[in-house]
Amino acid sequence: MPFTPFHLGPGVLAKSLLGPRFSFMVFGGSQVLMDVEALVRIYRNDAILHGPSHTVAGAVLIGLAAGFLGRPVSLFVLETLRITHHDISWRVSFSTAFLGTCSHIALDAIMHADMNALFPFAQGNGLLSFFSVAELHALCLITGLLGCGVLFLRAAIGGWKQQQTKGPN
């Protein structure tokens, strides 16, 4: 699923359930970082699009980068745009980044035959065709819609009870 919004569906659901313990911006950033390699490989017209970045080891390394970059970049953007937000702790940044990168390889492994997620410890792709591509897309869409519904309900009944941080005045 390179560069599709489908990866974000589970992130919307996670945000709706975890609130300030999850950063949707860090999650989105981790999704983009995961697909940098695939973008380069598409541009080069490589036969294999999902290489080292789409392994567990690659997901851990990209998760570390996304965790380190996610907090300061997200806070800068939120404050620059004067968007009221919860603080994004380092713990939230890293846990969200790892959730993003690991969910990314799990979702991609279901539909991409060139994935080898457990390399170098195991060969093959045991998740390939676990669901059909249509079922996978539906699952991602349903999680996103469900998450939007939960977010709407939370907003209607008062949201999360933690202190929010306001952007600069």
Side-chain angles (χ1 to χ4, degrees), residues 31-71:
Q31 301 302 320
V32 171
L33 289 175
M34 285 295 294
D35 274 335
V36 168
E37 178 193 20
L39 176 63
V40 169
R41 288 173 175 267
I42 288 169
Y43 179 76
R44 292 187 333 204
N45 203 26
D46 289 354
I48 294 177
L49 302 180
H50 301 90
S53 69
H54 282 69
T55 64
V56 172
V60 168
L61 291 174
I62 293 169
L64 285 171
F68 276 115
L69 295 171
R71 181 177 188 267

PDB file of all heavy atoms in Angstrom, residues 31-71:
ATOM      1  N   GLN A  31       4.533   6.358   8.840  1.00  0.00           N
ATOM      2  CA  GLN A  31       4.044   5.723   7.615  1.00  0.00           C
ATOM      3  C   GLN A  31       4.806   6.242   6.394  1.00  0.00           C
ATOM      4  O   GLN A  31       5.198   5.470   5.510  1.00  0.00           O
ATOM      5  CB  GLN A  31       2.542   5.976   7.431  1.00  0.00           C
ATOM      6  CG  GLN A  31       1.664   5.467   8.547  1.00  0.00           C
ATOM      7  CD  GLN A  31       1.801   3.980   8.787  1.00  0.00           C
ATOM      8  OE1 GLN A  31       1.896   3.179   7.875  1.00  0.00           O
ATOM      9  NE2 GLN A  31       1.810   3.608  10.050  1.00  0.00           N
ATOM     10  N   VAL A  32       5.017   7.546   6.358  1.00  0.00           N
ATOM     11  CA  VAL A  32       5.746   8.148   5.238  1.00  0.00           C
ATOM     12  C   VAL A  32       7.190   7.652   5.213  1.00  0.00           C
ATOM     13  O   VAL A  32       7.707   7.247   4.159  1.00  0.00           O
ATOM     14  CB  VAL A  32       5.696   9.691   5.318  1.00  0.00           C
ATOM     15  CG1 VAL A  32       6.620  10.324   4.287  1.00  0.00           C
ATOM     16  CG2 VAL A  32       4.256  10.189   5.139  1.00  0.00           C
ATOM     17  N   LEU A  33       7.846   7.652   6.375  1.00  0.00           N
ATOM     18  CA  LEU A  33       9.238   7.189   6.428  1.00  0.00           C
ATOM     19  C   LEU A  33       9.370   5.736   5.986  1.00  0.00           C
ATOM     20  O   LEU A  33      10.353   5.367   5.340  1.00  0.00           O
ATOM     21  CB  LEU A  33       9.815   7.373   7.833  1.00  0.00           C
ATOM     22  CG  LEU A  33      10.078   8.808   8.265  1.00  0.00           C
ATOM     23  CD1 LEU A  33      10.538   8.855   9.716  1.00  0.00           C
ATOM     24  CD2 LEU A  33      11.101   9.475   7.355  1.00  0.00           C
ATOM     25  N   MET A  34       8.388   4.915   6.328  1.00  0.00           N
ATOM     26  CA  MET A  34       8.431   3.502   5.915  1.00  0.00           C
ATOM     27  C   MET A  34       8.459   3.364   4.399  1.00  0.00           C
ATOM     28  O   MET A  34       9.065   2.432   3.871  1.00  0.00           O
ATOM     29  CB  MET A  34       7.227   2.741   6.474  1.00  0.00           C
ATOM     30  CG  MET A  34       7.312   2.421   7.941  1.00  0.00           C
ATOM     31  SD  MET A  34       8.648   1.294   8.367  1.00  0.00           S
ATOM     32  CE  MET A  34       8.129  -0.197   7.554  1.00  0.00           C
ATOM     33  N   ASP A  35       7.800   4.247   3.692  1.00  0.00           N
ATOM     34  CA  ASP A  35       7.676   4.088   2.248  1.00  0.00           C
ATOM     35  C   ASP A  35       8.696   4.880   1.426  1.00  0.00           C
ATOM     36  O   ASP A  35       8.622   4.893   0.206  1.00  0.00           O
ATOM     37  CB  ASP A  35       6.257   4.432   1.794  1.00  0.00           C
ATOM     38  CG  ASP A  35       5.328   3.237   1.906  1.00  0.00           C
ATOM     39  OD1 ASP A  35       5.830   2.095   1.854  1.00  0.00           O
ATOM     40  OD2 ASP A  35       4.114   3.435   2.042  1.00  0.00           O
ATOM     41  N   VAL A  36       9.679   5.495   2.088  1.00  0.00           N
ATOM     42  CA  VAL A  36      10.725   6.200   1.328  1.00  0.00           C
ATOM     43  C   VAL A  36      11.475   5.217   0.429  1.00  0.00           C
ATOM     44  O   VAL A  36      11.707   5.488  -0.760  1.00  0.00           O
ATOM     45  CB  VAL A  36      11.687   6.961   2.267  1.00  0.00           C
ATOM     46  CG1 VAL A  36      12.920   7.445   1.519  1.00  0.00           C
ATOM     47  CG2 VAL A  36      10.957   8.131   2.924  1.00  0.00           C
ATOM     48  N   GLU A  37      11.847   4.071   0.979  1.00  0.00           N
ATOM     49  CA  GLU A  37      12.559   3.073   0.175  1.00  0.00           C
ATOM     50  C   GLU A  37      11.706   2.622  -1.014  1.00  0.00           C
ATOM     51  O   GLU A  37      12.203   2.527  -2.145  1.00  0.00           O
ATOM     52  CB  GLU A  37      12.940   1.854   1.015  1.00  0.00           C
ATOM     53  CG  GLU A  37      13.634   0.786   0.180  1.00  0.00           C
ATOM     54  CD  GLU A  37      13.743  -0.560   0.880  1.00  0.00           C
ATOM     55  OE1 GLU A  37      12.989  -0.822   1.838  1.00  0.00           O
ATOM     56  OE2 GLU A  37      14.598  -1.357   0.452  1.00  0.00           O
ATOM     57  N   ALA A  38      10.429   2.343  -0.776  1.00  0.00           N
ATOM     58  CA  ALA A  38       9.545   1.910  -1.868  1.00  0.00           C
ATOM     59  C   ALA A  38       9.436   2.983  -2.944  1.00  0.00           C
ATOM     60  O   ALA A  38       9.430   2.668  -4.145  1.00  0.00           O
ATOM     61  CB  ALA A  38       8.170   1.555  -1.320  1.00  0.00           C
ATOM     62  N   LEU A  39       9.380   4.241  -2.541  1.00  0.00           N
ATOM     63  CA  LEU A  39       9.320   5.334  -3.520  1.00  0.00           C
ATOM     64  C   LEU A  39      10.575   5.365  -4.389  1.00  0.00           C
ATOM     65  O   LEU A  39      10.488   5.474  -5.617  1.00  0.00           O
ATOM     66  CB  LEU A  39       9.135   6.676  -2.812  1.00  0.00           C
ATOM     67  CG  LEU A  39       9.148   7.913  -3.710  1.00  0.00           C
ATOM     68  CD1 LEU A  39       7.986   7.877  -4.699  1.00  0.00           C
ATOM     69  CD2 LEU A  39       9.100   9.174  -2.866  1.00  0.00           C
ATOM     70  N   VAL A  40      11.726   5.236  -3.758  1.00  0.00           N
ATOM     71  CA  VAL A  40      12.985   5.215  -4.512  1.00  0.00           C
ATOM     72  C   VAL A  40      13.010   4.024  -5.472  1.00  0.00           C
ATOM     73  O   VAL A  40      13.386   4.140  -6.637  1.00  0.00           O
ATOM     74  CB  VAL A  40      14.200   5.180  -3.554  1.00  0.00           C
ATOM     75  CG1 VAL A  40      15.496   4.897  -4.305  1.00  0.00           C
ATOM     76  CG2 VAL A  40      14.294   6.492  -2.780  1.00  0.00           C
ATOM     77  N   ARG A  41      12.577   2.875  -4.997  1.00  0.00           N
ATOM     78  CA  ARG A  41      12.572   1.673  -5.830  1.00  0.00           C
ATOM     79  C   ARG A  41      11.561   1.776  -6.981  1.00  0.00           C
ATOM     80  O   ARG A  41      11.811   1.273  -8.075  1.00  0.00           O
ATOM     81  CB  ARG A  41      12.306   0.433  -4.977  1.00  0.00           C
ATOM     82  CG  ARG A  41      13.501   0.075  -4.095  1.00  0.00           C
ATOM     83  CD  ARG A  41      13.141  -1.053  -3.125  1.00  0.00           C
ATOM     84  NE  ARG A  41      14.275  -1.493  -2.374  1.00  0.00           N
ATOM     85  CZ  ARG A  41      15.074  -2.498  -2.720  1.00  0.00           C
ATOM     86  NH1 ARG A  41      14.871  -3.165  -3.841  1.00  0.00           N
ATOM     87  NH2 ARG A  41      16.080  -2.838  -1.953  1.00  0.00           N
ATOM     88  N   ILE A  42      10.428   2.421  -6.739  1.00  0.00           N
ATOM     89  CA  ILE A  42       9.469   2.663  -7.829  1.00  0.00           C
ATOM     90  C   ILE A  42      10.104   3.574  -8.872  1.00  0.00           C
ATOM     91  O   ILE A  42      10.020   3.314 -10.073  1.00  0.00           O
ATOM     92  CB  ILE A  42       8.159   3.281  -7.276  1.00  0.00           C
ATOM     93  CG1 ILE A  42       7.364   2.232  -6.511  1.00  0.00           C
ATOM     94  CG2 ILE A  42       7.317   3.882  -8.402  1.00  0.00           C
ATOM     95  CD1 ILE A  42       6.199   2.796  -5.707  1.00  0.00           C
ATOM     96  N   TYR A  43      10.760   4.620  -8.406  1.00  0.00           N
ATOM     97  CA  TYR A  43      11.417   5.564  -9.316  1.00  0.00           C
ATOM     98  C   TYR A  43      12.491   4.863 -10.150  1.00  0.00           C
ATOM     99  O   TYR A  43      12.628   5.130 -11.343  1.00  0.00           O
ATOM    100  CB  TYR A  43      12.032   6.715  -8.506  1.00  0.00           C
ATOM    101  CG  TYR A  43      12.755   7.716  -9.356  1.00  0.00           C
ATOM    102  CD1 TYR A  43      12.061   8.643 -10.119  1.00  0.00           C
ATOM    103  CD2 TYR A  43      14.142   7.735  -9.400  1.00  0.00           C
ATOM    104  CE1 TYR A  43      12.732   9.561 -10.915  1.00  0.00           C
ATOM    105  CE2 TYR A  43      14.823   8.646 -10.181  1.00  0.00           C
ATOM    106  CZ  TYR A  43      14.112   9.555 -10.938  1.00  0.00           C
ATOM    107  OH  TYR A  43      14.784  10.459 -11.725  1.00  0.00           O
ATOM    108  N   ARG A  44      13.231   3.934  -9.533  1.00  0.00           N
ATOM    109  CA  ARG A  44      14.287   3.209 -10.248  1.00  0.00           C
ATOM    110  C   ARG A  44      13.749   2.039 -11.057  1.00  0.00           C
ATOM    111  O   ARG A  44      14.494   1.373 -11.759  1.00  0.00           O
ATOM    112  CB  ARG A  44      15.330   2.684  -9.257  1.00  0.00           C
ATOM    113  CG  ARG A  44      16.131   3.759  -8.597  1.00  0.00           C
ATOM    114  CD  ARG A  44      17.269   3.255  -7.763  1.00  0.00           C
ATOM    115  NE  ARG A  44      17.092   1.917  -7.207  1.00  0.00           N
ATOM    116  CZ  ARG A  44      17.700   1.464  -6.130  1.00  0.00           C
ATOM    117  NH1 ARG A  44      18.517   2.249  -5.458  1.00  0.00           N
ATOM    118  NH2 ARG A  44      17.498   0.243  -5.696  1.00  0.00           N
ATOM    119  N   ASN A  45      12.450   1.769 -10.918  1.00  0.00           N
ATOM    120  CA  ASN A  45      11.801   0.659 -11.633  1.00  0.00           C
ATOM    121  C   ASN A  45      12.381  -0.695 -11.208  1.00  0.00           C
ATOM    122  O   ASN A  45      12.549  -1.593 -12.028  1.00  0.00           O
ATOM    123  CB  ASN A  45      11.875   0.859 -13.147  1.00  0.00           C
ATOM    124  CG  ASN A  45      10.794   0.084 -13.866  1.00  0.00           C
ATOM    125  OD1 ASN A  45       9.741  -0.197 -13.302  1.00  0.00           O
ATOM    126  ND2 ASN A  45      11.058  -0.271 -15.111  1.00  0.00           N
ATOM    127  N   ASP A  46      12.659  -0.834  -9.910  1.00  0.00           N
ATOM    128  CA  ASP A  46      13.179  -2.097  -9.379  1.00  0.00           C
ATOM    129  C   ASP A  46      12.088  -3.169  -9.373  1.00  0.00           C
ATOM    130  O   ASP A  46      10.899  -2.863  -9.225  1.00  0.00           O
ATOM    131  CB  ASP A  46      13.673  -1.915  -7.940  1.00  0.00           C
ATOM    132  CG  ASP A  46      14.957  -1.109  -7.855  1.00  0.00           C
ATOM    133  OD1 ASP A  46      15.541  -0.785  -8.904  1.00  0.00           O
ATOM    134  OD2 ASP A  46      15.367  -0.796  -6.714  1.00  0.00           O
ATOM    135  N   ALA A  47      12.500  -4.404  -9.464  1.00  0.00           N
ATOM    136  CA  ALA A  47      11.549  -5.514  -9.408  1.00  0.00           C
ATOM    137  C   ALA A  47      11.014  -5.700  -7.986  1.00  0.00           C
ATOM    138  O   ALA A  47       9.849  -6.038  -7.786  1.00  0.00           O
ATOM    139  CB  ALA A  47      12.211  -6.803  -9.886  1.00  0.00           C
ATOM    140  N   ILE A  48      11.860  -5.490  -6.989  1.00  0.00           N
ATOM    141  CA  ILE A  48      11.450  -5.602  -5.583  1.00  0.00           C
ATOM    142  C   ILE A  48      11.303  -4.198  -5.024  1.00  0.00           C
ATOM    143  O   ILE A  48      12.237  -3.396  -5.056  1.00  0.00           O
ATOM    144  CB  ILE A  48      12.489  -6.406  -4.768  1.00  0.00           C
ATOM    145  CG1 ILE A  48      12.504  -7.849  -5.262  1.00  0.00           C
ATOM    146  CG2 ILE A  48      12.178  -6.341  -3.279  1.00  0.00           C
ATOM    147  CD1 ILE A  48      13.533  -8.730  -4.600  1.00  0.00           C
ATOM    148  N   LEU A  49      10.106  -3.892  -4.519  1.00  0.00           N
ATOM    149  CA  LEU A  49       9.826  -2.561  -3.980  1.00  0.00           C
ATOM    150  C   LEU A  49       9.977  -2.507  -2.458  1.00  0.00           C
ATOM    151  O   LEU A  49      10.229  -1.459  -1.898  1.00  0.00           O
ATOM    152  CB  LEU A  49       8.405  -2.118  -4.349  1.00  0.00           C
ATOM    153  CG  LEU A  49       8.081  -2.066  -5.833  1.00  0.00           C
ATOM    154  CD1 LEU A  49       6.645  -1.601  -6.041  1.00  0.00           C
ATOM    155  CD2 LEU A  49       9.061  -1.175  -6.581  1.00  0.00           C
ATOM    156  N   HIS A  50       9.796  -3.641  -1.796  1.00  0.00           N
ATOM    157  CA  HIS A  50       9.769  -3.677  -0.339  1.00  0.00           C
ATOM    158  C   HIS A  50      10.975  -4.456   0.169  1.00  0.00           C
ATOM    159  O   HIS A  50      10.914  -5.662   0.368  1.00  0.00           O
ATOM    160  CB  HIS A  50       8.462  -4.303   0.156  1.00  0.00           C
ATOM    161  CG  HIS A  50       7.264  -3.551  -0.320  1.00  0.00           C
ATOM    162  ND1 HIS A  50       6.635  -3.845  -1.499  1.00  0.00           N
ATOM    163  CD2 HIS A  50       6.616  -2.508   0.225  1.00  0.00           C
ATOM    164  CE1 HIS A  50       5.625  -3.005  -1.666  1.00  0.00           C
ATOM    165  NE2 HIS A  50       5.591  -2.183  -0.631  1.00  0.00           N
ATOM    166  N   GLY A  51      12.065  -3.729   0.399  1.00  0.00           N
ATOM    167  CA  GLY A  51      13.312  -4.350   0.835  1.00  0.00           C
ATOM    168  C   GLY A  51      13.530  -4.203   2.330  1.00  0.00           C
ATOM    169  O   GLY A  51      12.611  -4.420   3.125  1.00  0.00           O
ATOM    170  N   PRO A  52      14.730  -3.819   2.733  1.00  0.00           N
ATOM    171  CA  PRO A  52      15.101  -3.778   4.150  1.00  0.00           C
ATOM    172  C   PRO A  52      14.195  -2.908   5.030  1.00  0.00           C
ATOM    173  O   PRO A  52      14.007  -3.219   6.199  1.00  0.00           O
ATOM    174  CB  PRO A  52      16.528  -3.222   4.134  1.00  0.00           C
ATOM    175  CG  PRO A  52      17.048  -3.562   2.781  1.00  0.00           C
ATOM    176  CD  PRO A  52      15.872  -3.518   1.852  1.00  0.00           C
ATOM    177  N   SER A  53      13.639  -1.842   4.488  1.00  0.00           N
ATOM    178  CA  SER A  53      12.775  -0.997   5.330  1.00  0.00           C
ATOM    179  C   SER A  53      11.497  -1.730   5.726  1.00  0.00           C
ATOM    180  O   SER A  53      10.860  -1.367   6.715  1.00  0.00           O
ATOM    181  CB  SER A  53      12.421   0.305   4.609  1.00  0.00           C
ATOM    182  OG  SER A  53      11.552   0.074   3.513  1.00  0.00           O
ATOM    183  N   HIS A  54      11.121  -2.735   4.975  1.00  0.00           N
ATOM    184  CA  HIS A  54       9.895  -3.478   5.263  1.00  0.00           C
ATOM    185  C   HIS A  54      10.189  -4.822   5.927  1.00  0.00           C
ATOM    186  O   HIS A  54       9.581  -5.846   5.627  1.00  0.00           O
ATOM    187  CB  HIS A  54       9.079  -3.656   3.973  1.00  0.00           C
ATOM    188  CG  HIS A  54       8.333  -2.413   3.609  1.00  0.00           C
ATOM    189  ND1 HIS A  54       8.975  -1.276   3.178  1.00  0.00           N
ATOM    190  CD2 HIS A  54       7.015  -2.130   3.640  1.00  0.00           C
ATOM    191  CE1 HIS A  54       8.070  -0.344   2.941  1.00  0.00           C
ATOM    192  NE2 HIS A  54       6.872  -0.834   3.220  1.00  0.00           N
ATOM    193  N   THR A  55      11.156  -4.794   6.845  1.00  0.00           N
ATOM    194  CA  THR A  55      11.454  -5.935   7.710  1.00  0.00           C
ATOM    195  C   THR A  55      11.267  -5.466   9.151  1.00  0.00           C
ATOM    196  O   THR A  55      11.183  -4.259   9.413  1.00  0.00           O
ATOM    197  CB  THR A  55      12.902  -6.426   7.519  1.00  0.00           C
ATOM    198  OG1 THR A  55      13.800  -5.378   7.934  1.00  0.00           O
ATOM    199  CG2 THR A  55      13.188  -6.816   6.070  1.00  0.00           C
ATOM    200  N   VAL A  56      11.229  -6.399  10.075  1.00  0.00           N
ATOM    201  CA  VAL A  56      11.106  -6.020  11.485  1.00  0.00           C
ATOM    202  C   VAL A  56      12.297  -5.151  11.895  1.00  0.00           C
ATOM    203  O   VAL A  56      12.132  -4.126  12.563  1.00  0.00           O
ATOM    204  CB  VAL A  56      10.972  -7.269  12.382  1.00  0.00           C
ATOM    205  CG1 VAL A  56      11.049  -6.895  13.849  1.00  0.00           C
ATOM    206  CG2 VAL A  56       9.667  -7.999  12.078  1.00  0.00           C
ATOM    207  N   ALA A  57      13.494  -5.534  11.467  1.00  0.00           N
ATOM    208  CA  ALA A  57      14.681  -4.737  11.799  1.00  0.00           C
ATOM    209  C   ALA A  57      14.573  -3.335  11.201  1.00  0.00           C
ATOM    210  O   ALA A  57      14.889  -2.338  11.864  1.00  0.00           O
ATOM    211  CB  ALA A  57      15.941  -5.433  11.289  1.00  0.00           C
ATOM    212  N   GLY A  58      14.124  -3.252   9.965  1.00  0.00           N
ATOM    213  CA  GLY A  58      13.944  -1.950   9.333  1.00  0.00           C
ATOM    214  C   GLY A  58      12.888  -1.126  10.042  1.00  0.00           C
ATOM    215  O   GLY A  58      13.046   0.093  10.229  1.00  0.00           O
ATOM    216  N   ALA A  59      11.808  -1.774  10.459  1.00  0.00           N
ATOM    217  CA  ALA A  59      10.745  -1.075  11.179  1.00  0.00           C
ATOM    218  C   ALA A  59      11.245  -0.521  12.515  1.00  0.00           C
ATOM    219  O   ALA A  59      10.855   0.570  12.923  1.00  0.00           O
ATOM    220  CB  ALA A  59       9.555  -2.004  11.398  1.00  0.00           C
ATOM    221  N   VAL A  60      12.115  -1.264  13.182  1.00  0.00           N
ATOM    222  CA  VAL A  60      12.676  -0.785  14.450  1.00  0.00           C
ATOM    223  C   VAL A  60      13.556   0.439  14.204  1.00  0.00           C
ATOM    224  O   VAL A  60      13.441   1.454  14.904  1.00  0.00           O
ATOM    225  CB  VAL A  60      13.468  -1.903  15.170  1.00  0.00           C
ATOM    226  CG1 VAL A  60      14.288  -1.342  16.326  1.00  0.00           C
ATOM    227  CG2 VAL A  60      12.518  -2.980  15.669  1.00  0.00           C
ATOM    228  N   LEU A  61      14.430   0.369  13.194  1.00  0.00           N
ATOM    229  CA  LEU A  61      15.303   1.512  12.897  1.00  0.00           C
ATOM    230  C   LEU A  61      14.500   2.732  12.464  1.00  0.00           C
ATOM    231  O   LEU A  61      14.770   3.852  12.914  1.00  0.00           O
ATOM    232  CB  LEU A  61      16.325   1.134  11.823  1.00  0.00           C
ATOM    233  CG  LEU A  61      17.382   0.122  12.250  1.00  0.00           C
ATOM    234  CD1 LEU A  61      18.253  -0.289  11.065  1.00  0.00           C
ATOM    235  CD2 LEU A  61      18.233   0.682  13.377  1.00  0.00           C
ATOM    236  N   ILE A  62      13.525   2.526  11.604  1.00  0.00           N
ATOM    237  CA  ILE A  62      12.694   3.648  11.151  1.00  0.00           C
ATOM    238  C   ILE A  62      11.837   4.154  12.308  1.00  0.00           C
ATOM    239  O   ILE A  62      11.605   5.360  12.444  1.00  0.00           O
ATOM    240  CB  ILE A  62      11.856   3.242   9.927  1.00  0.00           C
ATOM    241  CG1 ILE A  62      12.799   3.004   8.744  1.00  0.00           C
ATOM    242  CG2 ILE A  62      10.811   4.302   9.587  1.00  0.00           C
ATOM    243  CD1 ILE A  62      12.146   2.354   7.548  1.00  0.00           C
ATOM    244  N   GLY A  63      11.377   3.252  13.175  1.00  0.00           N
ATOM    245  CA  GLY A  63      10.637   3.665  14.366  1.00  0.00           C
ATOM    246  C   GLY A  63      11.470   4.549  15.275  1.00  0.00           C
ATOM    247  O   GLY A  63      10.969   5.527  15.837  1.00  0.00           O
ATOM    248  N   LEU A  64      12.754   4.213  15.430  1.00  0.00           N
ATOM    249  CA  LEU A  64      13.648   5.061  16.228  1.00  0.00           C
ATOM    250  C   LEU A  64      13.761   6.453  15.614  1.00  0.00           C
ATOM    251  O   LEU A  64      13.653   7.464  16.314  1.00  0.00           O
ATOM    252  CB  LEU A  64      15.034   4.426  16.351  1.00  0.00           C
ATOM    253  CG  LEU A  64      15.156   3.247  17.296  1.00  0.00           C
ATOM    254  CD1 LEU A  64      16.521   2.576  17.142  1.00  0.00           C
ATOM    255  CD2 LEU A  64      14.941   3.705  18.737  1.00  0.00           C
ATOM    256  N   ALA A  65      13.965   6.510  14.295  1.00  0.00           N
ATOM    257  CA  ALA A  65      14.063   7.806  13.615  1.00  0.00           C
ATOM    258  C   ALA A  65      12.756   8.586  13.737  1.00  0.00           C
ATOM    259  O   ALA A  65      12.753   9.785  14.032  1.00  0.00           O
ATOM    260  CB  ALA A  65      14.424   7.601  12.139  1.00  0.00           C
ATOM    261  N   ALA A  66      11.632   7.899  13.529  1.00  0.00           N
ATOM    262  CA  ALA A  66      10.322   8.558  13.612  1.00  0.00           C
ATOM    263  C   ALA A  66      10.051   9.043  15.038  1.00  0.00           C
ATOM    264  O   ALA A  66       9.461  10.106  15.236  1.00  0.00           O
ATOM    265  CB  ALA A  66       9.222   7.612  13.150  1.00  0.00           C
ATOM    266  N   GLY A  67      10.481   8.267  16.025  1.00  0.00           N
ATOM    267  CA  GLY A  67      10.299   8.680  17.414  1.00  0.00           C
ATOM    268  C   GLY A  67      11.113   9.912  17.754  1.00  0.00           C
ATOM    269  O   GLY A  67      10.625  10.835  18.401  1.00  0.00           O
ATOM    270  N   PHE A  68      12.386   9.937  17.312  1.00  0.00           N
ATOM    271  CA  PHE A  68      13.243  11.096  17.574  1.00  0.00           C
ATOM    272  C   PHE A  68      12.760  12.339  16.835  1.00  0.00           C
ATOM    273  O   PHE A  68      12.776  13.442  17.378  1.00  0.00           O
ATOM    274  CB  PHE A  68      14.702  10.808  17.170  1.00  0.00           C
ATOM    275  CG  PHE A  68      15.489  10.106  18.213  1.00  0.00           C
ATOM    276  CD1 PHE A  68      15.971   8.822  17.989  1.00  0.00           C
ATOM    277  CD2 PHE A  68      15.769  10.697  19.439  1.00  0.00           C
ATOM    278  CE1 PHE A  68      16.701   8.150  18.953  1.00  0.00           C
ATOM    279  CE2 PHE A  68      16.491  10.038  20.416  1.00  0.00           C
ATOM    280  CZ  PHE A  68      16.965   8.758  20.166  1.00  0.00           C
ATOM    281  N   LEU A  69      12.332  12.181  15.591  1.00  0.00           N
ATOM    282  CA  LEU A  69      11.884  13.326  14.795  1.00  0.00           C
ATOM    283  C   LEU A  69      10.442  13.731  15.088  1.00  0.00           C
ATOM    284  O   LEU A  69      10.088  14.905  14.974  1.00  0.00           O
ATOM    285  CB  LEU A  69      12.003  12.998  13.300  1.00  0.00           C
ATOM    286  CG  LEU A  69      13.400  12.776  12.756  1.00  0.00           C
ATOM    287  CD1 LEU A  69      13.339  12.238  11.332  1.00  0.00           C
ATOM    288  CD2 LEU A  69      14.183  14.082  12.806  1.00  0.00           C
ATOM    289  N   GLY A  70       9.619  12.744  15.437  1.00  0.00           N
ATOM    290  CA  GLY A  70       8.185  12.976  15.540  1.00  0.00           C
ATOM    291  C   GLY A  70       7.783  14.000  16.573  1.00  0.00           C
ATOM    292  O   GLY A  70       6.946  14.872  16.294  1.00  0.00           O
ATOM    293  N   ARG A  71       8.347  13.930  17.758  1.00  0.00           N
ATOM    294  CA  ARG A  71       7.943  14.855  18.817  1.00  0.00           C
ATOM    295  C   ARG A  71       8.277  16.303  18.462  1.00  0.00           C
ATOM    296  O   ARG A  71       7.388  17.149  18.459  1.00  0.00           O
ATOM    297  CB  ARG A  71       8.572  14.464  20.151  1.00  0.00           C
ATOM    298  CG  ARG A  71       8.160  15.379  21.285  1.00  0.00           C
ATOM    299  CD  ARG A  71       8.747  14.908  22.631  1.00  0.00           C
ATOM    300  NE  ARG A  71       8.198  15.689  23.714  1.00  0.00           N
ATOM    301  CZ  ARG A  71       8.771  16.778  24.204  1.00  0.00           C
ATOM    302  NH1 ARG A  71       9.934  17.200  23.712  1.00  0.00           N
ATOM    303  NH2 ARG A  71       8.199  17.445  25.184  1.00  0.00           N
TER     304      ARG A  71
END
